[in-house]
Amino acid sequence: MSHDAEEEETPPATPTTTAGKDQEEETWNLQKQALIRELSQKLINGDLQAKIEAARDIRKLVRKSSVKTRSKFGAAGVIQPLVSMLSSPNLDAREASLLALLNLAVRNERNKVNTVTAGAVPPLVELLKLQNSGLRELATAAILTLSAAAPNKPTIVASGATPLLVQILGSGSVQGKVDAVTALHNLSTCKQNSIPILDAKAVSPLINLLKECKKYSKFAEKTTALLEILSKSEEGRVAMTDSDGGILTLVETVEDGSHVSTQHAVGVLLSLCQSCREKYRELILNEGAIPGLLRLTVEGTSIAQERARTLLDLLRDTPKEKKLASSVLEKIVYDIAARVDGADKAAETAKRLLEDMVQRSMELSMNRIQHRAASCTPANIPSA
């Protein structure tokens, strides 16, 4: 996005000799320092139009500047007047200050913290409520940037921003949805937070986003992490089963995701099954989860492997009065093999049949995914 440009600054490109390079850079730095002072004074002491122009000029200069330049602007006192402009009734002033603050905060931890300390979060929350989609999504990008700094997270969580970010998951542009997911993921790691940042309303849009993105992408990792948090509540679990294709999407992520997203996805399925085995066992089995879980017991992270083994045990047909060593599928296959080839060869025949069934299940799963891919319009969710 244009507001996140992070190119390193360079002096104006003009023909020069090696001997004159140092002098040119020194001249450029002096000019830049004078410009910083000039813009800071316009922003602090000018009328509204002068403030708007100064904010726009700061944004232009900072977009292609280094962290050092961002720090110099912060030290020059521009953050407080820019934050004050966020509450202006003039929409141009809001947009100009928002873009300037956003670019000042990129890759600069001190500016991020100082922006929140200066009181930016309440007016940003108000911008999230606007019908103006452009300002709303710029505010989402700003909250994403500010939420990357750990000291800011409690303030943002306490502000009431998270329900508004959840709304953007379902109604924003593609970039707005991506920014909202990333901001919510940042906030979900807030250790000081004692209340859930998400409610069950987030489940359906998160499931839809997971359907559309590549399951091995960084975006899928953040989405599944949020879904795992939501799977800890009964309302979240019910919403997952009520979402069209919710469990199937999680099973597909177990099959095709990265190490991180598969770990979260199997964590969600395990939470479902542990909460009420009778309710969720058949739902998970019916979506063909066994092949992906079997592979995960070998190929996943250590946490994913343990979760997959635990879930496979829960998916077994084990009467309460006697825990059987084999799953219901294994028992059925063994009984069939015994009737066909006799008890002596039943174990060998059953093993072969089970291997064929797993292979066939994986082929069907792949055909299902290919069919869905062919019937859906190309998604715009980034793969990174």
Side-chain angles (χ1 to χ4, degrees):
M1 294 180 66
S2 62
H3 55 70
D4 280 338
E6 296 187 22
E7 299 174 22
E8 288 298 320
E9 64 181 337
T10 54
T14 55
T16 184
T17 63
T18 303
K21 185 176 181 182
D22 290 343
Q23 181 62 41
E24 180 182 298
E25 288 183 354
E26 184 179 349
T27 301
W28 165 240
N29 286 330
L30 290 172
Q31 291 173 346
K32 186 170 58 178
Q33 289 170 10
L35 184 57
I36 289 172
R37 287 193 297 270
E38 178 187 341
L39 291 175
S40 301
Q41 287 304 309
K42 283 178 65 177
L43 191 62
I44 294 168
N45 300 318
D47 59 21
L48 181 61
Q49 191 56 42
K51 291 175 185 289
I52 292 172
E53 291 173 1
R56 288 172 176 167
D57 287 341
I58 289 171
R59 183 231 180 170
K60 290 176 185 176
L61 183 61
V62 168
R63 279 179 64 194
K64 297 182 179 182
S65 294
S66 66
V67 174
K68 187 176 180 181
T69 301
R70 292 180 173 90
S71 297
K72 286 183 177 180
F73 266 114
V78 302
I79 289 177
Q80 186 64 64
L82 285 171
V83 168
S84 298
M85 289 172 66
L86 291 176
S87 301
S88 171
N90 184 303
L91 292 184
D92 287 340
R94 289 187 180 187
E95 181 177 358
S97 61
L98 182 51
L99 286 167
L101 286 167
L102 182 54
N103 282 274
L104 285 168
V106 169
R107 294 192 305 158
N108 193 300
E109 188 83 358
R110 177 175 292 180
N111 283 354
K112 287 182 176 72
V113 173
N114 288 343
T115 300
V116 169
T117 303
V121 173
L124 286 175
V125 170
E126 291 305 310
L127 289 173
L128 289 177
K129 299 175 183 177
L130 292 181
Q131 295 301 310
N132 184 315
S133 59
L135 282 176
R136 187 173 66 242
E137 295 191 2
L138 281 176
T140 304
I143 288 177
L144 158 61
T145 300
L146 297 174
S147 67
N152 291 343
K153 295 180 183 183
T155 302
I156 298 172
V157 170
S159 71
T162 54
L164 299 168
L165 293 172
V166 169
Q167 290 180 15
I168 291 172
L169 294 181
S171 62
S173 68
V174 171
Q175 187 61 56
K177 292 174 181 178
V178 171
D179 287 349
V181 166
T182 307
L184 288 167
H185 183 262
N186 285 346
L187 296 172
S188 72
T189 64
C190 177
K191 293 181 169 42
Q192 298 96 319
N193 185 37
S194 59
I195 59 173
I197 69 158
L198 295 170
D199 61 29
K201 293 177 183 176
V203 170
S204 181
L206 286 171
I207 289 289
N208 289 334
L209 290 169
L210 186 58
K211 284 180 186 176
E212 296 168 8
C213 73
K214 291 180 172 61
K215 303 300 184 288
Y216 53 79
S217 65
K218 294 291 184 183
F219 183 78
E221 293 176 1
K222 295 180 177 70
T223 304
T224 51
L226 294 174
L227 286 168
E228 185 174 358
I229 292 170
L230 286 160
S231 72
K232 306 302 181 184
S233 72
E234 178 60 22
E235 295 80 6
R237 293 189 289 267
V238 170
M240 286 177 201
T241 55
D242 289 345
S243 296
D244 182 33
I247 292 180
L248 172 59
T249 301
L250 291 163
V251 169
E252 290 175 348
T253 306
V254 169
E255 294 173 344
D256 302 323
S258 67
H259 284 313
V260 174
S261 56
T262 55
Q263 179 174 307
H264 289 310
V266 74
V268 175
L269 295 174
L270 180 57
S271 290
L272 294 175
C273 211
Q274 285 178 326
S275 70
C276 183
R277 180 177 175 277
E278 293 75 17
K279 179 178 180 180
Y280 294 109
R281 174 180 172 274
E282 289 298 327
L283 294 175
I284 295 171
L285 285 172
N286 288 342
E287 299 299 354
I290 298 297
L293 292 173
L294 288 172
R295 187 169 70 250
L296 203 56
T297 62
V298 177
E299 299 178 358
T301 64
S302 58
I303 293 174
Q305 289 180 18
E306 182 60 32
R307 289 176 173 180
R309 293 187 190 102
T310 304
L311 181 54
L312 285 167
D313 284 340
L314 288 170
L315 295 176
R316 296 176 188 273
D317 187 22
T318 53
K320 292 181 180 179
E321 64 272 14
K322 181 180 179 183
K323 180 165 180 161
L324 300 178
S326 61
S327 72
V328 61
L329 179 61
E330 292 166 340
K331 187 175 186 302
I332 291 171
V333 171
Y334 182 86
D335 290 344
I336 293 172
R339 287 197 296 271
V340 173
D341 287 349
D344 292 344
K345 297 183 178 180
E348 182 180 346
T349 301
K351 181 180 178 181
R352 187 176 68 253
L353 286 172
L354 281 168
E355 289 174 348
D356 291 343
M357 290 174 70
V358 169
Q359 180 62 34
R360 178 58 178 156
S361 177
M362 293 179 73
E363 291 172 357
L364 288 172
S365 175
M366 181 58 66
N367 289 338
R368 183 181 68 238
I369 294 169
Q370 291 173 343
H371 176 73
R372 277 192 61 198
S375 63
C376 294
T377 56
N380 292 321
I381 298 296
S383 60

